[in-house]
Each structure stands twice: as structure tokens, then as C-alpha cells.
Amino acid sequence: MIRTSRLLLPLRLATLATLLVTLSGMGAEPAIARSAFELTPPHALETIPAGTYDDRGRRLGDAALYWKKLPDGTIHMRAVARVENGARNTIDAWFEEIDDGRALRVLREQSLSYDSQGERLVLVEVDHVKREASCTPPPGSSDRREVLELPEEDRVANTTMSLLFQPLVRGERERVEFEAFMCRGGARLMKFVALPGRASEDGKVAEVRFGPNLGRVASWLASVVVPKLRFWFDARDGQYLAHRMPLYGGGPEVVISREGVSAGFDQR
């Protein structure tokens, strides 16, 4: 008969418990960093020619929106806007298809601008897979690159508003809350809220207004001084028509409108 020592028994039980914990974790998948938003795909992967306008409807330069499926299966969006004096902005976003292609999830996005003198500004990047956002100064700058860790509840949307606002256009939501990553004044996240705006008189154009989500009083005060941020969509099918935003942080406020669509939207 084999007897187990009273001293060895607790040790063996502890070893067995450790082994069971290790084995139970072998099949567990690591947590995957990803955006919390499931976005409505565009109507088609196409090139949409557009123009850059001022508030009076005067054309300032060319613009375009590109959608393309890459060989690895990801979807690439690029939007380019220019004005005649040399200022320009390019935004890029890469998406994965989810729910059998019925939705998209953004993987990475970035924005790069040049001022009216043609000087490159800060490169703004958001990597939802690595869960980090960064501000990279232009070459020759004495500033350092800033990196910010994204929260686990990743609701950052810098370049994907035309897809993010679709539930508002369809009347499925009364508001959409999200965060934007900012570099001007230091790397930081800011809360935003989007709400349905004025519809056109004929009911064919739906407007979405958005801005900093600072609470009712603070948001009202901010609305007096911050840019009038707007998106316009076809109210019948949700297709993107135009938007109004600064060309870059602190830059001129412009309206980007797809060709064939009037730039005379209600700016109030």
C-alpha cells in the first residue's frame, strides 16, 4: 500500500490546479482590438467626382471620393479635396467586411493635409487593431510624435462619418455618439454627437449636424464658435451628397459636393 505524505498532498493538489488552469486557457482566443461600430457599406465601390466650394457656392477646386476592394479583401476609401491656392487634404480608411458583407468595420484611418503654402501638416492616424492613435509631425519639425492608447470601448470615427450617420438618415436613430481623435493642441480624444438636421423643402435631401458633445449648455455655447459641421444625403436611399467641414484643423471651412449636386445647401 502506497501512502501519500501529508506535506506532499497540498503541493500535488496545487500543481494539479495550476495544470488545469493552464490547459483550460490553451483553447481561449486572445481579445481582439476593434472598433465598436458596424457601418453601412457604400452603395457601390466606385469613384465619385466632386468639387470644393465656399459658402457662397463658388468653386475653389476639385475633389473626389474613391472606393476600392484590395487583393487581400479589405475595402479602401480615399477622399481628396483641393483648393486653388494649394491647400489640400487626403483622408484614407481601410475596412474589413463583416456579417457576410452586409456591414463594414474600420481597421485603420488617417488624414494628411497641406496648408495654403503647400507645407505638410501633422499626419493623423488611428489604428483600431493596434488600439492606438498618433500625431506625426512633418519632416524637419522639432515636435515629437505623440501616441495615445485607444479605450477598450473604441468609438473613434475620424473619417467614416458618411457611413456612421446612415442610421440617422434612415430614421432608425435619433442621435449617434462617437469620439474623434485630435492632434491640434495636443493628442486627445473628444466626444461628438450627431443629430438629424433640416430636411430640404422637397424632402429629397436629409441633413445631419454634428459637433462636440459637451452637455446641453456647453454644446449650445460651442455651436456659436465651432465650425458648422454638416453632412447631406439623398433622403431616399442614403447616398452621400456633400459635407461641410474645415479643410484641415484651423483651416478654411469648405463644402465638398459630388458633381451634379447643387452646392447651395442651407448653411444656417
Side-chain angles (χ1 to χ4, degrees):
M1 179 176 180
I2 301 176
R3 295 182 179 179
T4 303
S5 168
R6 291 182 180 181
L7 294 177
L8 291 178
L9 183 59
L11 179 61
R12 291 177 180 176
L13 289 176
T15 303
L16 178 60
T18 302
L19 179 60
L20 290 175
V21 170
T22 303
L23 291 175
S24 64
M26 289 180 63
E29 295 183 0
I32 300 175
R34 61 187 184 186
S35 169
F37 294 118
E38 296 186 3
L39 304 169
T40 302
H43 286 76
L45 301 182
E46 59 183 346
T47 297
I48 301 175
T52 307
Y53 300 84
D54 63 15
D55 286 343
R56 294 174 295 176
R58 183 183 61 163
R59 190 181 182 102
L60 303 176
D62 296 330
L65 176 63
Y66 307 91
W67 286 97
K68 183 179 181 181
K69 191 165 189 175
L70 302 180
D72 64 359
T74 58
I75 305 296
H76 179 214
M77 178 198 75
R78 167 167 287 185
V80 180
R82 301 180 179 88
V83 298
E84 294 172 354
N85 67 359
R88 65 187 189 275
N89 169 261
T90 300
I91 64 172
D92 290 276
W94 292 265
F95 306 84
E96 63 175 343
E97 292 184 301
I98 58 177
D99 193 19
D100 294 327
R102 289 187 288 269
L104 299 179
R105 178 178 285 118
V106 63
L107 302 172
R108 186 165 61 91
E109 46 189 326
Q110 68 180 36
S111 175
L112 180 61
S113 300
Y114 293 79
D115 64 16
S116 59
Q117 306 302 315
E119 297 292 331
R120 206 195 92 171
L121 302 178
V122 174
L123 172 64
V124 183
E125 296 179 282
V126 180
D127 193 320
H128 299 273
V129 178
K130 293 182 178 179
R131 257 187 64 199
E132 69 176 32
S134 62
C135 307
T136 303
S141 173
S142 59
D143 295 333
R144 293 185 177 182
R145 182 173 181 261
E146 295 183 82
V147 179
L148 184 71
E149 183 179 357
L150 297 181
E152 290 186 11
E153 180 66 17
D154 177 2
R155 301 182 64 82
V156 178
N158 268 34
T159 66
T160 61
M161 282 82 81
S162 63
L163 306 182
L164 182 66
F165 297 160
Q166 288 296 315
L168 295 173
V169 179
R170 295 193 295 264
E172 299 171 356
R173 300 278 298 275
E174 295 182 353
R175 61 193 287 128
V176 170
E177 297 181 359
F178 63 102
E179 291 183 298
F181 174 64
M182 307 287 192
C183 285
R184 192 165 182 251
R188 67 196 188 282
L189 293 176
M190 179 176 288
K191 294 182 178 181
F192 275 72
V193 60
L195 304 167
R198 295 184 180 92
S200 61
E201 293 183 0
D202 59 9
K204 294 182 179 180
V205 177
E207 180 190 73
V208 173
R209 301 185 175 200
F210 66 104
N213 189 5
L214 306 174
R216 290 186 178 181
V217 176
S219 290
W220 179 84
L221 292 173
S223 68
V224 179
V225 296
V226 300
K228 296 178 181 178
L229 307 175
R230 307 280 190 271
F231 266 78
W232 292 276
F233 302 88
D234 189 314
R236 296 162 295 185
D237 59 12
Q239 287 200 68
Y240 161 81
L241 298 179
H243 69 278
R244 185 186 194 277
M245 292 178 67
L247 194 60
Y248 49 85
E253 297 172 26
V254 296
V255 174
I256 311 298
S257 176
R258 65 189 299 162
E259 296 288 4
V261 176
S262 171
F265 297 102
D266 185 357
Q267 301 294 320
R268 292 175 295 170

